[in-house]
Amino acid sequence: YSFEPSSDLTSITLDGCSISILVNACHLPLTSQTESEDYMTWVHYVVLRIQPFSETRTTSAAVGLMLLQARSSYCPESGEEDVRKAIESARDAFPAWRSQTGRARSRILRRWYELVHENRDDLARLIWLENGKIISDAYGEVDFANSFLEWYSEEAARIYGDVIPHSSSGFQVSAVKEPVGVCAMLVPWNFPAAMVTRKLGPALAAGCTVVIKTAGETPFTANAIVVLAERAGVPKGAINVVTALDNTPLVGKALCQSDIVRKVSFTGSTRVGKLLMEQSASTLKKLSLELGGNAPFIVFNDADIDVAVQAAVASKFKSSGQTCVCANRFMVQSKIYPEFISRLKCAVSKLSVGLPGEDGTTMGPLISAAAADRMKLLVDESVREGAEIELGGHKRDEVGPAFFAPTILSNVQKDMRICKEEIFGPIAPVSRFDTEEDAINAANECDVGLASYLYTTSLNRSARCSTALQSGMVAINTGVISNAAAPFGGIKHSGVGREGGRYGLEEYLQIKTIVAGDTLADHRARL
């Protein structure tokens, strides 16, 4: 099919499926080098609205390319009726999907993985357009997202139960694992592809059907991934998408309070996670909540400083500091404190802030101008309380309203606000400590516990500290903590449950105990 770029709304019928294409061409961030076929590819993936996934609505949620502060295109603003239809669609699709063999679901997930790989370029473009990630990070996210589809395609056929010896003769006990049922998922904007597949992969592998509420700031990547799921053979109704920006609280409440929905998986702030838990209480749902963090980054005197600095740049400034496991509080032992600051400044000063699609850019914008304004407030408040700016500390308005310079603060004290809140931006506050006990006590002195980072060449110290740190994940001598095969999640106010690996699959399963009587066999001796 084809249409003119100047058209505003085009409706067509393709294979019996009603499709609405909403185009606001004058606001698309096209450059003079962009060819018309590139424009068509972008529109094809970005603004498809397919009725089995999302009901047509007359109202729309504006989605802004925050780096340009311009409206690009729209997704429907779903309401309670849309949520109800999506839940019922998932309920109706559940019996057939759960009845497929694990091997059959595995083949569909594998084909989905292959399609995502084949469309890697388009998906990466979508991520940098709507999220603002630099192109290398966008490609990295596509590959990371796809790793979950690959891993769970391999795991779908290996959901094992147990045969348990009974305490009395003549009985047999089996523990069988079954899909939970209809699952609701609420995903964040900072990983518009990876957070979708990290939840959908295990849910579909387990035999569950899904209603997914995508982030209002970044809905198009998820839409494209779901279109590819349908092409891979995921049946109608197994995945249902609702989109909302202004209506997000209403949609979340409707999902949590539904008796049909048996599980809710949410990635986002601790405040919202607690609210969703309250809203789910009356229906006693299974919950997976991956919430806020305040990751300590501890560097001991015996650490390899080059390794620590490289890891600091990776864990702090990736995606402009907008990940839940970003290093938040840098703690460096006194002896190496000056050298660490010096080397970190040298490494961070090489970062190039600019538009994500431009050659040479190594750090893009924050999600909004408001986020950049908050960074400035945190820096100014810290300086007033005695911190010193070693690098950056200011907005980059000449690039755009959502850009902030990569920043290093020294002489930071643990009671400053910047050490108590999740920064979610490109600011590295560095404090010093004297003893191992001081570092561990400071690291644990917060109500969240998602990730911790530890740098030492001492095997004994790494064992002691990884045990003592109160967090769900500990990275030793590395700045990368996420992997499809590893369980991801926190303790304390950082949430409940795990995503990734076989532990992530267990979140979408429930155990049924089957006790059979009158099973005593008449065993006879044979020569």
Side-chain angles (χ1 to χ4, degrees):
Y1 59 89
S2 63
F3 55 90
E4 294 299 322
S6 60
S7 62
D8 183 52
L9 178 64
T10 300
S11 295
I12 61 173
T13 300
L14 184 65
D15 296 333
C17 184
S18 176
I19 298 177
S20 295
I21 302 174
L22 187 61
V23 183
N24 191 355
C26 64
H27 290 301
L28 290 174
L30 304 178
T31 67
S32 58
Q33 289 78 30
T34 303
E35 300 295 334
S36 60
E37 57 266 26
D38 291 330
Y39 171 87
M40 300 296 284
T41 300
W42 190 85
V43 170
H44 175 72
Y45 278 102
V46 172
V47 294
L48 282 182
R49 294 196 326 193
I50 301 181
Q51 281 189 327
F53 296 131
S54 177
E55 295 295 325
T56 301
R57 299 283 292 173
T58 56
T59 57
S60 298
V63 179
L65 283 175
M66 297 304 181
L67 65 157
L68 299 177
Q69 293 295 286
R71 284 182 180 176
S72 57
S73 35
Y74 304 83
C75 270
E77 188 71 56
S78 300
E80 288 187 85
E81 182 65 13
D82 300 301
V83 175
R84 182 187 65 79
K85 290 180 179 179
I87 292 172
E88 291 175 353
S89 175
R91 177 200 61 194
D92 294 344
F94 177 60
W97 182 245
R98 70 167 294 176
S99 297
Q100 291 205 34
T101 65
R103 179 59 64 192
R105 294 195 297 269
S106 169
R107 293 190 181 106
I108 292 173
L109 287 171
R110 179 69 191 187
R111 181 54 185 151
W112 190 10
Y113 159 79
E114 292 168 352
L115 287 174
V116 169
H117 181 72
E118 291 169 12
N119 291 274
R120 183 172 179 261
D121 291 342
D122 289 325
L123 291 170
R125 169 184 277 187
L126 268 181
I127 290 170
W128 75 255
L129 279 172
E130 68 173 348
N131 175 275
K133 288 186 179 180
I134 62 172
I135 196 65
S136 60
D137 282 351
Y139 274 105
E141 182 179 346
V142 174
D143 294 339
F144 180 50
N146 215 14
S147 69
F148 291 99
L149 298 182
E150 181 181 35
W151 204 91
Y152 285 110
S153 74
E154 297 164 347
E155 197 72 5
R158 297 177 177 84
I159 300 174
Y160 302 126
D162 295 291
V163 176
I164 303 167
H166 198 281
S167 57
S168 301
S169 59
F171 292 88
Q172 289 184 349
V173 180
S174 299
V176 179
K177 294 180 181 179
E178 298 179 336
V180 169
V182 176
C183 301
M185 300 171 174
L186 298 96
V187 298
W189 51 261
N190 59 335
F191 283 91
M195 294 302 98
V196 170
T197 58
R198 190 158 78 176
K199 296 179 189 296
L200 284 180
L204 293 175
C208 298
T209 54
V210 172
V211 178
I212 183 165
K213 190 273 172 192
T214 55
E217 299 87 348
T218 57
F220 297 131
T221 303
N223 287 349
I225 287 174
V226 171
V227 168
L228 294 177
E230 184 189 37
R231 292 180 184 175
V234 176
K236 294 284 197 303
I239 304 175
N240 303 269
V241 178
V242 290
T243 56
L245 188 62
D246 296 337
N247 284 353
T248 294
L250 180 150
V251 170
K253 184 176 181 179
L255 291 170
C256 289
Q257 294 185 343
S258 168
D259 279 312
I260 298 173
V261 174
R262 297 312 311 145
K263 174 183 172 63
V264 171
S265 177
F266 169 74
T267 298
S269 71
T270 298
R271 179 187 64 83
V272 174
K274 292 178 178 179
L275 178 62
L276 296 178
M277 178 178 271
E278 290 178 5
Q279 294 173 347
S280 300
S282 62
T283 52
L284 289 176
K285 298 188 193 316
K286 195 170 186 178
L287 294 171
S288 294
L289 303 174
E290 197 268 282
L291 309 178
N294 190 354
F297 187 102
I298 306 171
V299 186
F300 287 96
N301 286 335
D302 67 340
D304 185 321
I305 298 179
D306 289 335
V307 169
V309 167
Q310 182 180 6
V313 174
S315 66
K316 174 73 262 186
F317 298 100
K318 184 180 178 64
S319 301
S320 303
Q322 299 173 117
T323 81
C324 56
V325 291
C326 272
N328 209 67
R329 297 171 290 159
F330 288 79
M331 305 174 186
V332 182
Q333 202 159 12
S334 298
K335 182 179 177 180
I336 63 168
Y337 184 84
E339 185 178 0
F340 180 85
I341 290 284
S342 176
R343 292 199 200 181
L344 184 62
K345 284 174 62 177
C346 181
V348 174
S349 65
K350 296 176 183 178
L351 296 176
S352 176
V353 177
L355 295 175
E358 290 183 347
D359 292 339
T361 296
T362 54
M363 198 180 90
L366 281 83
I367 190 61
S368 67
D373 292 338
R374 178 174 172 270
M375 295 302 105
K376 180 60 175 169
L377 288 174
L378 285 173
V379 169
D380 291 346
E381 183 177 304
S382 300
V383 170
R384 286 195 301 270
E385 294 178 0
E388 298 177 7
I389 298 175
E390 298 286 344
L391 189 71
H394 57 273
K395 294 181 65 177
R396 292 291 303 274
D397 289 324
E398 75 279 10
V399 185
F403 291 81
F404 196 84
T407 298
I408 300 172
L409 300 179
S410 63
N411 196 35
V412 174
Q413 305 303 315
K414 65 179 183 180
D415 58 348
M416 291 180 179
R417 177 186 170 196
I418 202 167
C419 291
K420 294 181 177 180
E421 294 184 4
E422 188 172 21
I423 297 171
F424 231 68
I427 304 174
V430 189
S431 61
R432 69 172 74 209
F433 67 90
D434 293 321
T435 68
E436 180 180 311
E437 183 181 9
D438 292 339
I440 297 301
N441 288 341
N444 291 340
E445 200 173 311
C446 64
D447 59 1
V448 294
L450 186 57
S452 298
Y453 298 88
L454 173 65
Y455 298 85
T456 178
T457 55
S458 168
L459 179 62
N460 290 341
R461 176 178 285 123
S462 65
R464 286 194 306 269
C465 293
S466 60
T467 300
L469 286 167
Q470 297 174 3
S471 61
M473 300 172 286
V474 179
I476 303 174
N477 295 328
T478 179
V480 180
I481 208 165
S482 299
N483 184 271
F488 185 102
I491 60 175
K492 301 199 285 190
H493 290 203
S494 285
V496 294
R498 292 295 182 268
E499 293 185 324
R502 67 182 181 89
Y503 301 96
L505 184 61
E506 297 287 339
E507 297 287 332
Y508 295 93
L509 297 168
Q510 57 192 11
I511 297 174
K512 177 180 288 183
T513 301
I514 301 174
V515 181
D518 194 22
T519 61
L520 183 64
D522 183 14
H523 297 290
R524 298 185 180 183
R526 300 276 190 231
L527 291 177

